Amino acid sequence: RKEVEQDPGPFNVPEGATVAFNCTYSNSASQSFFWYRQDCRKEPKLLMSVYSSGNEDGRFTAQLNRASQYISLLIRDSKLSDSATYLCVVNAGGFKTIFGAGTRLFVKA
Amino acid sequence: DGGITQSPKYLFRKEGQNVTLSCEQNLNHDAMYWYRQDPGQGLRLIYYSQIVNDFQKGDIAEGYSVSREKKESFPLTVTSAQKNPTAFYLCASSMPGLYNEQFFGPGTRLTVL
């Protein structure tokens, strides 16, 4: 089993749609969680840190379920510019950070 | 502007050659990292460094070497011992803390001819 698993997609959605990505992690001792966005042939960029109580930033909402070892990212009112690969990232303590392979999103007009 | 720079953006190497990838940061971050990304795969850790003159092997260190002589700089050498070096190489830095968010440079795309 991979340490961090994501549905690779691709997710193809129309503009304005709501889309949700899920991610599971295997190490129950994991301490911090993130979503990064990566555009084609570019570096990953931090989208959101995921806090225990869940957090929202504009159209983006991240949630954490420690009991189920599950993280989610919800994007509301999708824009064309949201098309990218979304990486689920888990820090298991210290410098051990595990990156998921990513979920590809295509938003179409 | 604070940030992380990597050079070159594209690098072509002949088999049997060593090459060095540059990574510089002016964020005053203590920790720096090198990752490798292959198509359709997650990032894999090559080396990381918590402080100057100290570095640790990651999951795929074989065929690579690093140095950390200055806080701002963490160059990666891809040696001829690395059997499949063609990949996208990403450097990152972080300030250790509760969340340890990492910030990335623009990457170097290495192709072995």
Side-chain angles (χ1 to χ4, degrees):
Chain A
R1 181 184 173 188
K2 290 183 181 177
E3 292 184 83
V4 175
E5 291 203 71
Q6 296 182 250
D7 182 341
F11 285 55
N12 293 288
V13 303
E15 272 187 295
T18 295
V19 60
F21 304 137
N22 300 320
C23 170
T24 58
Y25 60 95
S26 61
N27 186 343
S28 60
S30 296
Q31 299 178 358
S32 52
F33 310 88
F34 312 92
W35 285 100
Y36 280 73
R37 171 198 169 119
Q38 186 173 25
D39 292 292
C40 188
R41 301 178 73 83
K42 300 284 189 180
E43 75 274 24
K45 293 186 177 177
L46 180 65
L47 180 65
M48 298 178 75
S49 300
V50 186
Y51 305 130
S52 295
S53 56
N55 47 302
E56 185 175 312
D57 183 2
R59 299 182 292 108
F60 299 85
T61 300
Q63 292 198 310
L64 168 64
N65 183 322
R66 284 190 185 271
S68 301
Q69 295 179 204
Y70 164 99
I71 309 154
S72 66
L73 176 69
L74 184 77
I75 305 176
R76 291 180 298 278
D77 189 23
S78 299
K79 311 292 184 192
L80 294 175
S81 57
D82 293 334
S83 297
T85 297
Y86 290 83
L87 308 179
C88 174
V89 181
V90 175
N91 181 278
F95 295 89
K96 186 169 175 61
T97 298
I98 308 299
F99 288 77
T103 298
R104 294 191 72 185
L105 172 66
F106 294 101
V107 181
K108 299 184 175 181
Chain B
D1 265 345
I4 304 174
T5 57
Q6 290 185 243
S7 61
K9 187 172 182 179
Y10 297 98
L11 185 57
F12 297 90
R13 188 194 95 173
K14 293 182 180 179
E15 283 192 24
Q17 286 182 333
N18 293 354
V19 291
T20 298
L21 282 55
S22 169
C23 177
E24 304 276 332
Q25 55 100 0
N26 61 5
L27 300 168
N28 200 33
H29 285 172
D30 289 322
M32 297 186 75
Y33 313 79
W34 274 105
Y35 292 92
R36 168 183 174 140
Q37 187 175 35
D38 294 282
Q41 297 190 33
L43 277 66
R44 292 184 290 166
L45 182 64
I46 305 172
Y47 270 97
Y48 67 95
S49 169
Q50 300 178 52
I51 55 172
V52 173
N53 293 323
D54 181 68
F55 47 83
Q56 307 294 330
K57 291 182 179 180
D59 300 318
I60 56 165
E62 185 175 350
Y64 300 98
S65 65
V66 293
S67 63
R68 186 90 186 273
E69 297 177 1
K70 298 186 299 181
K71 186 175 184 177
E72 302 79 20
S73 178
F74 191 40
L76 173 75
T77 297
V78 184
T79 75
S80 56
Q82 170 47 236
K83 298 303 179 191
N84 186 20
T86 295
F88 188 38
Y89 290 88
L90 288 156
C91 179
S93 69
S94 71
M95 183 61 77
L98 179 62
Y99 292 101
N100 196 30
E101 297 100 333
Q102 295 183 23
F103 297 91
F104 287 85
T108 293
R109 202 163 291 275
L110 173 64
T111 302
V112 174
L113 303 173

